[in-house]
Structures are given as structure tokens and as C-alpha cells.
Amino acid sequence: MSNARNLARLLPNASGQLPPANVQKLLNSNMASGSVIQIATAVNTTEVTVADNTQAVLLSLNFTPAYSNSLILMMVYCGQIKKHVGGANWGGLSVIDTTAGYAPLSCGALTYPQSEYDTRIVVHEHTVINSWSGTRTFQVKGAAAGGNIFSYSFQGNETRLTMMEIAA
């Protein structure tokens, strides 16, 4: 397909918008491997406190890949996690695919030495998974165990889930 034809597809219609069919044709025409197809992000800045031996949903994101053969870069960030009590205990942060019923990303057990309390950490993890057909719901969950209480998005710090679809 010629570059002139691609550029012609970028001309707005009478309402000043690009026709969706033209955008899709443009995307399909010369999508090089590694190109970003779409990005979706969910953010929470409300502190969520999780009691011992429980977990809580920090945020949710629905994501629908444009292509079933692309790759999805999944990134989770929690700006501040606070451990409230000293002791041999842990908290965890994971991303759950509630539609398929598995955790494509888990930050594992966030462990602490026994004597520490009021400990604060930042978590940033990522993974790449294969795309799928249809919409799936992803939840970021925080957990606490071993006799402790954890606060996620402590003091209004951001917890964020970003999903980026990349052409294979």
C-alpha cells in the first residue's frame, strides 16, 4: 500500500473525526513487529488497608486486544506499600485475570525481617503474555498474612496497571 493512500486515510470526515474503518485499515496496512497497537491504564490513589490473612482488590481493568496474535506487555506499579506491624509476616501484590482464572503476574511474597514495622516499599513489575480473543478483566490485588496489616497506595500514592498491546 502506498504512503499517499495511508495519508489519505488520515483525512477527517465531515464531523472532524477519523472514520473508524480508515483507522483499522491504516493499522492493518503496515504494522511492523514491535509496534504499539494500544495502551490501557487503570489508576488508584485511594489507600486500601488489607487485614491479616485476607486480600483486597486495589483496581480493575478491562482489556480487549485488537489482534489475537499480538503480545501484551503488562506492568504493575504500587507507589507505596506500608507494613503496619513488626514480625515474621508478609504482603503480596498480584494481577489476576478474572476471566481466565489465573495470575499472569505476581510480585511474590513481600517479606520483612521480624523486628521491622512501619516499613514502606515501592513495587514495579512487568511480564509479557500472549493475546487472546474477546475482553478480559484484570484485577490488581494486595494481600496480608502472618499477623500483619498492609496498606496499598499508602498516603495517596498511585497504584497503576498498564497493558500495552504490541504487534508480534
Side-chain angles (χ1 to χ4, degrees):
M1 179 161 296
S2 74
N3 286 336
R5 193 174 318 158
N6 283 342
L7 291 174
R9 289 194 174 123
L10 293 175
L11 295 175
N13 59 22
S15 64
Q17 298 181 350
L18 294 177
N22 286 1
V23 173
Q24 193 61 45
K25 287 177 187 174
L26 183 63
L27 286 174
N28 290 338
S29 64
N30 293 312
M31 187 63 65
S33 178
S35 298
V36 175
I37 299 167
Q38 65 172 316
I39 298 173
T41 300
V43 176
N44 176 45
T45 57
T46 302
E47 184 176 327
V48 177
T49 300
V50 182
D52 184 33
N53 294 320
T54 62
Q55 56 182 319
V57 175
L58 308 178
L59 59 85
S60 295
L61 175 66
N62 292 326
F63 192 78
T64 308
Y67 302 97
S68 60
N69 64 342
S70 56
L71 297 172
I72 308 298
L73 173 60
M74 179 183 297
M75 298 171 283
V76 65
Y77 169 82
C78 191
Q80 194 168 142
I81 302 170
K82 178 185 178 184
K83 174 187 169 197
H84 291 272
V85 181
N89 39 49
W90 59 272
L93 188 70
S94 58
V95 179
I96 309 295
D97 179 342
T98 63
T99 308
Y102 79 108
L105 180 60
S106 179
C107 299
L110 307 173
T111 58
Y112 300 96
Q114 238 178 345
S115 61
E116 293 187 18
Y117 65 94
D118 194 19
T119 304
R120 300 170 194 204
I121 63 169
V122 174
V123 173
H124 185 221
E125 293 289 337
H126 66 278
T127 191
V128 176
I129 59 175
N130 292 321
S131 65
W132 57 88
S133 295
T135 300
R136 290 190 182 174
T137 300
F138 294 85
Q139 294 179 334
V140 176
K141 289 189 174 185
N148 213 318
I149 299 168
F150 282 79
S151 290
Y152 296 85
S153 295
F154 184 65
Q155 295 179 331
N157 283 280
E158 183 176 280
T159 297
R160 177 179 357 114
L161 175 62
T162 301
M163 299 183 72
M164 182 183 303
E165 185 175 8
I166 302 168

mmCIF file with all atom_site columns, all heavy atoms in Angstrom, residues 68-96:
data_model
loop_
_atom_site.group_PDB
_atom_site.id
_atom_site.type_symbol
_atom_site.label_atom_id
_atom_site.label_alt_id
_atom_site.label_comp_id
_atom_site.label_asym_id
_atom_site.label_entity_id
_atom_site.label_seq_id
_atom_site.pdbx_PDB_ins_code
_atom_site.Cartn_x
_atom_site.Cartn_y
_atom_site.Cartn_z
_atom_site.occupancy
_atom_site.B_iso_or_equiv
_atom_site.pdbx_formal_charge
_atom_site.auth_seq_id
_atom_site.auth_comp_id
_atom_site.auth_asym_id
_atom_site.auth_atom_id
_atom_site.pdbx_PDB_model_num
ATOM 1   N N   . SER A 1 68 ? -5.558 -11.270 17.899 1.00 0.00 ? 68 SER A N   1
ATOM 2   C CA  . SER A 1 68 ? -5.364 -12.456 18.741 1.00 0.00 ? 68 SER A CA  1
ATOM 3   C C   . SER A 1 68 ? -3.951 -13.027 18.631 1.00 0.00 ? 68 SER A C   1
ATOM 4   O O   . SER A 1 68 ? -3.617 -13.978 19.325 1.00 0.00 ? 68 SER A O   1
ATOM 5   C CB  . SER A 1 68 ? -6.395 -13.536 18.391 1.00 0.00 ? 68 SER A CB  1
ATOM 6   O OG  . SER A 1 68 ? -6.255 -13.912 17.035 1.00 0.00 ? 68 SER A OG  1
ATOM 7   N N   . ASN A 1 69 ? -3.102 -12.441 17.774 1.00 0.00 ? 69 ASN A N   1
ATOM 8   C CA  . ASN A 1 69 ? -1.737 -12.949 17.624 1.00 0.00 ? 69 ASN A CA  1
ATOM 9   C C   . ASN A 1 69 ? -0.684 -11.943 18.095 1.00 0.00 ? 69 ASN A C   1
ATOM 10  O O   . ASN A 1 69 ? 0.488  -12.067 17.768 1.00 0.00 ? 69 ASN A O   1
ATOM 11  C CB  . ASN A 1 69 ? -1.474 -13.341 16.167 1.00 0.00 ? 69 ASN A CB  1
ATOM 12  C CG  . ASN A 1 69 ? -1.545 -12.145 15.238 1.00 0.00 ? 69 ASN A CG  1
ATOM 13  O OD1 . ASN A 1 69 ? -2.101 -11.104 15.579 1.00 0.00 ? 69 ASN A OD1 1
ATOM 14  N ND2 . ASN A 1 69 ? -0.995 -12.299 14.052 1.00 0.00 ? 69 ASN A ND2 1
ATOM 15  N N   . SER A 1 70 ? -1.093 -10.952 18.858 1.00 0.00 ? 70 SER A N   1
ATOM 16  C CA  . SER A 1 70 ? -0.145 -9.949  19.344 1.00 0.00 ? 70 SER A CA  1
ATOM 17  C C   . SER A 1 70 ? 0.372  -10.343 20.726 1.00 0.00 ? 70 SER A C   1
ATOM 18  O O   . SER A 1 70 ? -0.002 -11.371 21.281 1.00 0.00 ? 70 SER A O   1
ATOM 19  C CB  . SER A 1 70 ? -0.818 -8.576  19.384 1.00 0.00 ? 70 SER A CB  1
ATOM 20  O OG  . SER A 1 70 ? -1.987 -8.634  20.172 1.00 0.00 ? 70 SER A OG  1
ATOM 21  N N   . LEU A 1 71 ? 1.234  -9.504  21.278 1.00 0.00 ? 71 LEU A N   1
ATOM 22  C CA  . LEU A 1 71 ? 1.757  -9.707  22.620 1.00 0.00 ? 71 LEU A CA  1
ATOM 23  C C   . LEU A 1 71 ? 1.230  -8.600  23.527 1.00 0.00 ? 71 LEU A C   1
ATOM 24  O O   . LEU A 1 71 ? 0.987  -7.483  23.069 1.00 0.00 ? 71 LEU A O   1
ATOM 25  C CB  . LEU A 1 71 ? 3.286  -9.678  22.615 1.00 0.00 ? 71 LEU A CB  1
ATOM 26  C CG  . LEU A 1 71 ? 3.961  -10.772 21.802 1.00 0.00 ? 71 LEU A CG  1
ATOM 27  C CD1 . LEU A 1 71 ? 5.463  -10.524 21.717 1.00 0.00 ? 71 LEU A CD1 1
ATOM 28  C CD2 . LEU A 1 71 ? 3.681  -12.139 22.409 1.00 0.00 ? 71 LEU A CD2 1
ATOM 29  N N   . ILE A 1 72 ? 1.078  -8.899  24.807 1.00 0.00 ? 72 ILE A N   1
ATOM 30  C CA  . ILE A 1 72 ? 0.590  -7.916  25.767 1.00 0.00 ? 72 ILE A CA  1
ATOM 31  C C   . ILE A 1 72 ? 1.676  -7.713  26.823 1.00 0.00 ? 72 ILE A C   1
ATOM 32  O O   . ILE A 1 72 ? 2.066  -8.661  27.514 1.00 0.00 ? 72 ILE A O   1
ATOM 33  C CB  . ILE A 1 72 ? -0.710 -8.383  26.466 1.00 0.00 ? 72 ILE A CB  1
ATOM 34  C CG1 . ILE A 1 72 ? -1.770 -8.805  25.439 1.00 0.00 ? 72 ILE A CG1 1
ATOM 35  C CG2 . ILE A 1 72 ? -1.216 -7.304  27.410 1.00 0.00 ? 72 ILE A CG2 1
ATOM 36  C CD1 . ILE A 1 72 ? -2.229 -7.727  24.500 1.00 0.00 ? 72 ILE A CD1 1
ATOM 37  N N   . LEU A 1 73 ? 2.184  -6.479  26.916 1.00 0.00 ? 73 LEU A N   1
ATOM 38  C CA  . LEU A 1 73 ? 3.111  -6.113  27.971 1.00 0.00 ? 73 LEU A CA  1
ATOM 39  C C   . LEU A 1 73 ? 2.271  -5.598  29.138 1.00 0.00 ? 73 LEU A C   1
ATOM 40  O O   . LEU A 1 73 ? 1.530  -4.631  28.997 1.00 0.00 ? 73 LEU A O   1
ATOM 41  C CB  . LEU A 1 73 ? 4.083  -5.028  27.502 1.00 0.00 ? 73 LEU A CB  1
ATOM 42  C CG  . LEU A 1 73 ? 5.004  -4.417  28.559 1.00 0.00 ? 73 LEU A CG  1
ATOM 43  C CD1 . LEU A 1 73 ? 5.907  -5.480  29.193 1.00 0.00 ? 73 LEU A CD1 1
ATOM 44  C CD2 . LEU A 1 73 ? 5.836  -3.296  27.949 1.00 0.00 ? 73 LEU A CD2 1
ATOM 45  N N   . MET A 1 74 ? 2.361  -6.286  30.265 1.00 0.00 ? 74 MET A N   1
ATOM 46  C CA  . MET A 1 74 ? 1.585  -5.950  31.449 1.00 0.00 ? 74 MET A CA  1
ATOM 47  C C   . MET A 1 74 ? 2.544  -5.387  32.497 1.00 0.00 ? 74 MET A C   1
ATOM 48  O O   . MET A 1 74 ? 3.550  -6.013  32.825 1.00 0.00 ? 74 MET A O   1
ATOM 49  C CB  . MET A 1 74 ? 0.904  -7.211  31.980 1.00 0.00 ? 74 MET A CB  1
ATOM 50  C CG  . MET A 1 74 ? 0.078  -7.021  33.217 1.00 0.00 ? 74 MET A CG  1
ATOM 51  S SD  . MET A 1 74 ? -0.601 -8.590  33.813 1.00 0.00 ? 74 MET A SD  1
ATOM 52  C CE  . MET A 1 74 ? -1.644 -9.054  32.440 1.00 0.00 ? 74 MET A CE  1
ATOM 53  N N   . MET A 1 75 ? 2.238  -4.183  33.010 1.00 0.00 ? 75 MET A N   1
ATOM 54  C CA  . MET A 1 75 ? 3.096  -3.539  34.006 1.00 0.00 ? 75 MET A CA  1
ATOM 55  C C   . MET A 1 75 ? 2.246  -3.121  35.200 1.00 0.00 ? 75 MET A C   1
ATOM 56  O O   . MET A 1 75 ? 1.205  -2.491  35.027 1.00 0.00 ? 75 MET A O   1
ATOM 57  C CB  . MET A 1 75 ? 3.778  -2.317  33.401 1.00 0.00 ? 75 MET A CB  1
ATOM 58  C CG  . MET A 1 75 ? 4.683  -2.652  32.227 1.00 0.00 ? 75 MET A CG  1
ATOM 59  S SD  . MET A 1 75 ? 5.290  -1.201  31.361 1.00 0.00 ? 75 MET A SD  1
ATOM 60  C CE  . MET A 1 75 ? 3.841  -0.743  30.400 1.00 0.00 ? 75 MET A CE  1
ATOM 61  N N   . VAL A 1 76 ? 2.710  -3.473  36.408 1.00 0.00 ? 76 VAL A N   1
ATOM 62  C CA  . VAL A 1 76 ? 2.020  -3.069  37.624 1.00 0.00 ? 76 VAL A CA  1
ATOM 63  C C   . VAL A 1 76 ? 2.997  -2.255  38.479 1.00 0.00 ? 76 VAL A C   1
ATOM 64  O O   . VAL A 1 76 ? 4.188  -2.573  38.552 1.00 0.00 ? 76 VAL A O   1
ATOM 65  C CB  . VAL A 1 76 ? 1.443  -4.266  38.406 1.00 0.00 ? 76 VAL A CB  1
ATOM 66  C CG1 . VAL A 1 76 ? 2.523  -5.176  38.940 1.00 0.00 ? 76 VAL A CG1 1
ATOM 67  C CG2 . VAL A 1 76 ? 0.525  -3.797  39.521 1.00 0.00 ? 76 VAL A CG2 1
ATOM 68  N N   . TYR A 1 77 ? 2.464  -1.204  39.079 1.00 0.00 ? 77 TYR A N   1
ATOM 69  C CA  . TYR A 1 77 ? 3.271  -0.308  39.905 1.00 0.00 ? 77 TYR A CA  1
ATOM 70  C C   . TYR A 1 77 ? 2.462  0.042   41.147 1.00 0.00 ? 77 TYR A C   1
ATOM 71  O O   . TYR A 1 77 ? 1.269  0.361   41.050 1.00 0.00 ? 77 TYR A O   1
ATOM 72  C CB  . TYR A 1 77 ? 3.598  0.964   39.120 1.00 0.00 ? 77 TYR A CB  1
ATOM 73  C CG  . TYR A 1 77 ? 4.213  2.070   39.946 1.00 0.00 ? 77 TYR A CG  1
ATOM 74  C CD1 . TYR A 1 77 ? 5.572  2.064   40.232 1.00 0.00 ? 77 TYR A CD1 1
ATOM 75  C CD2 . TYR A 1 77 ? 3.438  3.099   40.435 1.00 0.00 ? 77 TYR A CD2 1
ATOM 76  C CE1 . TYR A 1 77 ? 6.141  3.072   40.994 1.00 0.00 ? 77 TYR A CE1 1
ATOM 77  C CE2 . TYR A 1 77 ? 3.996  4.118   41.195 1.00 0.00 ? 77 TYR A CE2 1
ATOM 78  C CZ  . TYR A 1 77 ? 5.345  4.094   41.472 1.00 0.00 ? 77 TYR A CZ  1
ATOM 79  O OH  . TYR A 1 77 ? 5.897  5.088   42.227 1.00 0.00 ? 77 TYR A OH  1
ATOM 80  N N   . CYS A 1 78 ? 3.081  -0.042  42.311 1.00 0.00 ? 78 CYS A N   1
ATOM 81  C CA  . CYS A 1 78 ? 2.450  0.404   43.544 1.00 0.00 ? 78 CYS A CA  1
ATOM 82  C C   . CYS A 1 78 ? 3.402  1.370   44.218 1.00 0.00 ? 78 CYS A C   1
ATOM 83  O O   . CYS A 1 78 ? 4.500  0.984   44.643 1.00 0.00 ? 78 CYS A O   1
ATOM 84  C CB  . CYS A 1 78 ? 2.111  -0.762  44.461 1.00 0.00 ? 78 CYS A CB  1
ATOM 85  S SG  . CYS A 1 78 ? 1.061  -0.271  45.846 1.00 0.00 ? 78 CYS A SG  1
ATOM 86  N N   . GLY A 1 79 ? 3.017  2.638   44.250 1.00 0.00 ? 79 GLY A N   1
ATOM 87  C CA  . GLY A 1 79 ? 3.890  3.711   44.711 1.00 0.00 ? 79 GLY A CA  1
ATOM 88  C C   . GLY A 1 79 ? 4.306  3.636   46.157 1.00 0.00 ? 79 GLY A C   1
ATOM 89  O O   . GLY A 1 79 ? 5.378  4.096   46.517 1.00 0.00 ? 79 GLY A O   1
ATOM 90  N N   . GLN A 1 80 ? 3.481  3.058   47.004 1.00 0.00 ? 80 GLN A N   1
ATOM 91  C CA  . GLN A 1 80 ? 3.918  2.885   48.384 1.00 0.00 ? 80 GLN A CA  1
ATOM 92  C C   . GLN A 1 80 ? 3.047  1.847   49.077 1.00 0.00 ? 80 GLN A C   1
ATOM 93  O O   . GLN A 1 80 ? 1.829  1.950   49.084 1.00 0.00 ? 80 GLN A O   1
ATOM 94  C CB  . GLN A 1 80 ? 3.868  4.197   49.165 1.00 0.00 ? 80 GLN A CB  1
ATOM 95  C CG  . GLN A 1 80 ? 4.619  4.083   50.461 1.00 0.00 ? 80 GLN A CG  1
ATOM 96  C CD  . GLN A 1 80 ? 4.848  5.421   51.146 1.00 0.00 ? 80 GLN A CD  1
ATOM 97  O OE1 . GLN A 1 80 ? 4.769  5.494   52.333 1.00 0.00 ? 80 GLN A OE1 1
ATOM 98  N NE2 . GLN A 1 80 ? 5.131  6.466   50.381 1.00 0.00 ? 80 GLN A NE2 1
ATOM 99  N N   . ILE A 1 81 ? 3.721  0.844   49.629 1.00 0.00 ? 81 ILE A N   1
ATOM 100 C CA  . ILE A 1 81 ? 3.068  -0.180  50.435 1.00 0.00 ? 81 ILE A CA  1
ATOM 101 C C   . ILE A 1 81 ? 3.625  -0.022  51.844 1.00 0.00 ? 81 ILE A C   1
ATOM 102 O O   . ILE A 1 81 ? 4.842  0.058   52.030 1.00 0.00 ? 81 ILE A O   1
ATOM 103 C CB  . ILE A 1 81 ? 3.363  -1.595  49.900 1.00 0.00 ? 81 ILE A CB  1
ATOM 104 C CG1 . ILE A 1 81 ? 2.900  -1.720  48.454 1.00 0.00 ? 81 ILE A CG1 1
ATOM 105 C CG2 . ILE A 1 81 ? 2.693  -2.648  50.781 1.00 0.00 ? 81 ILE A CG2 1
ATOM 106 C CD1 . ILE A 1 81 ? 3.352  -2.991  47.765 1.00 0.00 ? 81 ILE A CD1 1
ATOM 107 N N   . LYS A 1 82 ? 2.727  0.016   52.819 1.00 0.00 ? 82 LYS A N   1
ATOM 108 C CA  . LYS A 1 82 ? 3.170  0.160   54.203 1.00 0.00 ? 82 LYS A CA  1
ATOM 109 C C   . LYS A 1 82 ? 2.826  -1.087  54.994 1.00 0.00 ? 82 LYS A C   1
ATOM 110 O O   . LYS A 1 82 ? 1.695  -1.559  54.971 1.00 0.00 ? 82 LYS A O   1
ATOM 111 C CB  . LYS A 1 82 ? 2.498  1.354   54.873 1.00 0.00 ? 82 LYS A CB  1
ATOM 112 C CG  . LYS A 1 82 ? 2.908  1.495   56.335 1.00 0.00 ? 82 LYS A CG  1
ATOM 113 C CD  . LYS A 1 82 ? 2.164  2.600   57.033 1.00 0.00 ? 82 LYS A CD  1
ATOM 114 C CE  . LYS A 1 82 ? 2.598  2.635   58.500 1.00 0.00 ? 82 LYS A CE  1
ATOM 115 N NZ  . LYS A 1 82 ? 1.852  3.608   59.267 1.00 0.00 ? 82 LYS A NZ  1
ATOM 116 N N   . LYS A 1 83 ? 3.828  -1.595  55.720 1.00 0.00 ? 83 LYS A N   1
ATOM 117 C CA  . LYS A 1 83 ? 3.638  -2.684  56.666 1.00 0.00 ? 83 LYS A CA  1
ATOM 118 C C   . LYS A 1 83 ? 3.435  -2.048  58.033 1.00 0.00 ? 83 LYS A C   1
ATOM 119 O O   . LYS A 1 83 ? 4.255  -1.262  58.491 1.00 0.00 ? 83 LYS A O   1
ATOM 120 C CB  . LYS A 1 83 ? 4.868  -3.587  56.667 1.00 0.00 ? 83 LYS A CB  1
ATOM 121 C CG  . LYS A 1 83 ? 4.839  -4.670  57.706 1.00 0.00 ? 83 LYS A CG  1
ATOM 122 C CD  . LYS A 1 83 ? 6.176  -5.382  57.729 1.00 0.00 ? 83 LYS A CD  1
ATOM 123 C CE  . LYS A 1 83 ? 6.239  -6.276  58.934 1.00 0.00 ? 83 LYS A CE  1
ATOM 124 N NZ  . LYS A 1 83 ? 7.582  -6.685  59.247 1.00 0.00 ? 83 LYS A NZ  1
ATOM 125 N N   . HIS A 1 84 ? 2.333  -2.387  58.714 1.00 0.00 ? 84 HIS A N   1
ATOM 126 C CA  . HIS A 1 84 ? 1.988  -1.717  59.963 1.00 0.00 ? 84 HIS A CA  1
ATOM 127 C C   . HIS A 1 84 ? 2.587  -2.344  61.218 1.00 0.00 ? 84 HIS A C   1
ATOM 128 O O   . HIS A 1 84 ? 2.745  -1.664  62.221 1.00 0.00 ? 84 HIS A O   1
ATOM 129 C CB  . HIS A 1 84 ? 0.463  -1.670  60.126 1.00 0.00 ? 84 HIS A CB  1
ATOM 130 C CG  . HIS A 1 84 ? -0.203 -0.765  59.155 1.00 0.00 ? 84 HIS A CG  1
ATOM 131 N ND1 . HIS A 1 84 ? -0.401 0.572   59.399 1.00 0.00 ? 84 HIS A ND1 1
ATOM 132 C CD2 . HIS A 1 84 ? -0.712 -0.998  57.918 1.00 0.00 ? 84 HIS A CD2 1
ATOM 133 C CE1 . HIS A 1 84 ? -1.021 1.132   58.365 1.00 0.00 ? 84 HIS A CE1 1
ATOM 134 N NE2 . HIS A 1 84 ? -1.215 0.202   57.452 1.00 0.00 ? 84 HIS A NE2 1
ATOM 135 N N   . VAL A 1 85 ? 2.852  -3.647  61.221 1.00 0.00 ? 85 VAL A N   1
ATOM 136 C CA  . VAL A 1 85 ? 3.231  -4.357  62.428 1.00 0.00 ? 85 VAL A CA  1
ATOM 137 C C   . VAL A 1 85 ? 4.543  -5.096  62.205 1.00 0.00 ? 85 VAL A C   1
ATOM 138 O O   . VAL A 1 85 ? 4.770  -5.655  61.131 1.00 0.00 ? 85 VAL A O   1
ATOM 139 C CB  . VAL A 1 85 ? 2.129  -5.378  62.829 1.00 0.00 ? 85 VAL A CB  1
ATOM 140 C CG1 . VAL A 1 85 ? 2.495  -6.117  64.101 1.00 0.00 ? 85 VAL A CG1 1
ATOM 141 C CG2 . VAL A 1 85 ? 0.788  -4.685  62.970 1.00 0.00 ? 85 VAL A CG2 1
ATOM 142 N N   . GLY A 1 86 ? 5.421  -5.133  63.209 1.00 0.00 ? 86 GLY A N   1
ATOM 143 C CA  . GLY A 1 86 ? 6.643  -5.922  63.128 1.00 0.00 ? 86 GLY A CA  1
ATOM 144 C C   . GLY A 1 86 ? 6.323  -7.402  63.245 1.00 0.00 ? 86 GLY A C   1
ATOM 145 O O   . GLY A 1 86 ? 5.282  -7.790  63.748 1.00 0.00 ? 86 GLY A O   1
ATOM 146 N N   . GLY A 1 87 ? 7.218  -8.232  62.783 1.00 0.00 ? 87 GLY A N   1
ATOM 147 C CA  . GLY A 1 87 ? 7.017  -9.673  62.902 1.00 0.00 ? 87 GLY A CA  1
ATOM 148 C C   . GLY A 1 87 ? 7.342  -10.381 61.607 1.00 0.00 ? 87 GLY A C   1
ATOM 149 O O   . GLY A 1 87 ? 7.571  -9.769  60.573 1.00 0.00 ? 87 GLY A O   1
ATOM 150 N N   . ALA A 1 88 ? 7.381  -11.700 61.685 1.00 0.00 ? 88 ALA A N   1
ATOM 151 C CA  . ALA A 1 88 ? 7.689  -12.542 60.523 1.00 0.00 ? 88 ALA A CA  1
ATOM 152 C C   . ALA A 1 88 ? 6.416  -12.703 59.703 1.00 0.00 ? 88 ALA A C   1
ATOM 153 O O   . ALA A 1 88 ? 5.689  -13.675 59.845 1.00 0.00 ? 88 ALA A O   1
ATOM 154 C CB  . ALA A 1 88 ? 8.234  -13.889 60.973 1.00 0.00 ? 88 ALA A CB  1
ATOM 155 N N   . ASN A 1 89 ? 6.132  -11.766 58.870 1.00 0.00 ? 89 ASN A N   1
ATOM 156 C CA  . ASN A 1 89 ? 4.910  -11.762 58.093 1.00 0.00 ? 89 ASN A CA  1
ATOM 157 C C   . ASN A 1 89 ? 5.172  -11.171 56.711 1.00 0.00 ? 89 ASN A C   1
ATOM 158 O O   . ASN A 1 89 ? 6.254  -10.684 56.444 1.00 0.00 ? 89 ASN A O   1
ATOM 159 C CB  . ASN A 1 89 ? 3.830  -10.971 58.838 1.00 0.00 ? 89 ASN A CB  1
ATOM 160 C CG  . ASN A 1 89 ? 4.416  -9.752  59.514 1.00 0.00 ? 89 ASN A CG  1
ATOM 161 O OD1 . ASN A 1 89 ? 5.138  -9.007  58.884 1.00 0.00 ? 89 ASN A OD1 1
ATOM 162 N ND2 . ASN A 1 89 ? 4.138  -9.567  60.789 1.00 0.00 ? 89 ASN A ND2 1
ATOM 163 N N   . TRP A 1 90 ? 4.178  -11.200 55.881 1.00 0.00 ? 90 TRP A N   1
ATOM 164 C CA  . TRP A 1 90 ? 4.395  -10.761 54.508 1.00 0.00 ? 90 TRP A CA  1
ATOM 165 C C   . TRP A 1 90 ? 3.120  -10.159 53.910 1.00 0.00 ? 90 TRP A C   1
ATOM 166 O O   . TRP A 1 90 ? 2.026  -10.366 54.401 1.00 0.00 ? 90 TRP A O   1
ATOM 167 C CB  . TRP A 1 90 ? 4.883  -11.915 53.638 1.00 0.00 ? 90 TRP A CB  1
ATOM 168 C CG  . TRP A 1 90 ? 3.928  -13.068 53.586 1.00 0.00 ? 90 TRP A CG  1
ATOM 169 C CD1 . TRP A 1 90 ? 3.874  -14.124 54.460 1.00 0.00 ? 90 TRP A CD1 1
ATOM 170 C CD2 . TRP A 1 90 ? 2.868  -13.272 52.657 1.00 0.00 ? 90 TRP A CD2 1
ATOM 171 N NE1 . TRP A 1 90 ? 2.845  -14.961 54.114 1.00 0.00 ? 90 TRP A NE1 1
ATOM 172 C CE2 . TRP A 1 90 ? 2.212  -14.467 53.010 1.00 0.00 ? 90 TRP A CE2 1
ATOM 173 C CE3 . TRP A 1 90 ? 2.414  -12.550 51.559 1.00 0.00 ? 90 TRP A CE3 1
ATOM 174 C CZ2 . TRP A 1 90 ? 1.129  -14.959 52.300 1.00 0.00 ? 90 TRP A CZ2 1
ATOM 175 C CZ3 . TRP A 1 90 ? 1.323  -13.035 50.843 1.00 0.00 ? 90 TRP A CZ3 1
ATOM 176 C CH2 . TRP A 1 90 ? 0.709  -14.237 51.220 1.00 0.00 ? 90 TRP A CH2 1
ATOM 177 N N   . GLY A 1 91 ? 3.327  -9.441  52.820 1.00 0.00 ? 91 GLY A N   1
ATOM 178 C CA  . GLY A 1 91 ? 2.239  -8.938  51.991 1.00 0.00 ? 91 GLY A CA  1
ATOM 179 C C   . GLY A 1 91 ? 2.533  -9.358  50.566 1.00 0.00 ? 91 GLY A C   1
ATOM 180 O O   . GLY A 1 91 ? 3.649  -9.784  50.250 1.00 0.00 ? 91 GLY A O   1
ATOM 181 N N   . GLY A 1 92 ? 1.573  -9.253  49.700 1.00 0.00 ? 92 GLY A N   1
ATOM 182 C CA  . GLY A 1 92 ? 1.783  -9.635  48.309 1.00 0.00 ? 92 GLY A CA  1
ATOM 183 C C   . GLY A 1 92 ? 1.007  -8.735  47.379 1.00 0.00 ? 92 GLY A C   1
ATOM 184 O O   . GLY A 1 92 ? 0.022  -8.111  47.772 1.00 0.00 ? 92 GLY A O   1
ATOM 185 N N   . LEU A 1 93 ? 1.450  -8.656  46.145 1.00 0.00 ? 93 LEU A N   1
ATOM 186 C CA  . LEU A 1 93 ? 0.788  -7.859  45.118 1.00 0.00 ? 93 LEU A CA  1
ATOM 187 C C   . LEU A 1 93 ? 0.745  -8.723  43.866 1.00 0.00 ? 93 LEU A C   1
ATOM 188 O O   . LEU A 1 93 ? 1.770  -9.273  43.455 1.00 0.00 ? 93 LEU A O   1
ATOM 189 C CB  . LEU A 1 93 ? 1.585  -6.572  44.852 1.00 0.00 ? 93 LEU A CB  1
ATOM 190 C CG  . LEU A 1 93 ? 0.949  -5.541  43.941 1.00 0.00 ? 93 LEU A CG  1
ATOM 191 C CD1 . LEU A 1 93 ? -0.252 -4.893  44.639 1.00 0.00 ? 93 LEU A CD1 1
ATOM 192 C CD2 . LEU A 1 93 ? 1.954  -4.464  43.575 1.00 0.00 ? 93 LEU A CD2 1
ATOM 193 N N   . SER A 1 94 ? -0.438 -8.893  43.286 1.00 0.00 ? 94 SER A N   1
ATOM 194 C CA  . SER A 1 94 ? -0.549 -9.722  42.091 1.00 0.00 ? 94 SER A CA  1
ATOM 195 C C   . SER A 1 94 ? -1.607 -9.163  41.149 1.00 0.00 ? 94 SER A C   1
ATOM 196 O O   . SER A 1 94 ? -2.458 -8.377  41.552 1.00 0.00 ? 94 SER A O   1
ATOM 197 C CB  . SER A 1 94 ? -0.892 -11.175 42.463 1.00 0.00 ? 94 SER A CB  1
ATOM 198 O OG  . SER A 1 94 ? -2.096 -11.217 43.186 1.00 0.00 ? 94 SER A OG  1
ATOM 199 N N   . VAL A 1 95 ? -1.509 -9.579  39.886 1.00 0.00 ? 95 VAL A N   1
ATOM 200 C CA  . VAL A 1 95 ? -2.513 -9.239  38.879 1.00 0.00 ? 95 VAL A CA  1
ATOM 201 C C   . VAL A 1 95 ? -3.226 -10.535 38.528 1.00 0.00 ? 95 VAL A C   1
ATOM 202 O O   . VAL A 1 95 ? -2.587 -11.521 38.155 1.00 0.00 ? 95 VAL A O   1
ATOM 203 C CB  . VAL A 1 95 ? -1.879 -8.621  37.618 1.00 0.00 ? 95 VAL A CB  1
ATOM 204 C CG1 . VAL A 1 95 ? -2.957 -8.297  36.586 1.00 0.00 ? 95 VAL A CG1 1
ATOM 205 C CG2 . VAL A 1 95 ? -1.084 -7.375  37.974 1.00 0.00 ? 95 VAL A CG2 1
ATOM 206 N N   . ILE A 1 96 ? -4.553 -10.526 38.664 1.00 0.00 ? 96 ILE A N   1
ATOM 207 C CA  . ILE A 1 96 ? -5.369 -11.711 38.430 1.00 0.00 ? 96 ILE A CA  1
ATOM 208 C C   . ILE A 1 96 ? -6.200 -11.500 37.167 1.00 0.00 ? 96 ILE A C   1
ATOM 209 O O   . ILE A 1 96 ? -6.865 -10.475 37.019 1.00 0.00 ? 96 ILE A O   1
ATOM 210 C CB  . ILE A 1 96 ? -6.327 -11.975 39.615 1.00 0.00 ? 96 ILE A CB  1
ATOM 211 C CG1 . ILE A 1 96 ? -5.575 -11.980 40.950 1.00 0.00 ? 96 ILE A CG1 1
ATOM 212 C CG2 . ILE A 1 96 ? -7.113 -13.256 39.401 1.00 0.00 ? 96 ILE A CG2 1
ATOM 213 C CD1 . ILE A 1 96 ? -4.581 -13.066 41.130 1.00 0.00 ? 96 ILE A CD1 1
#
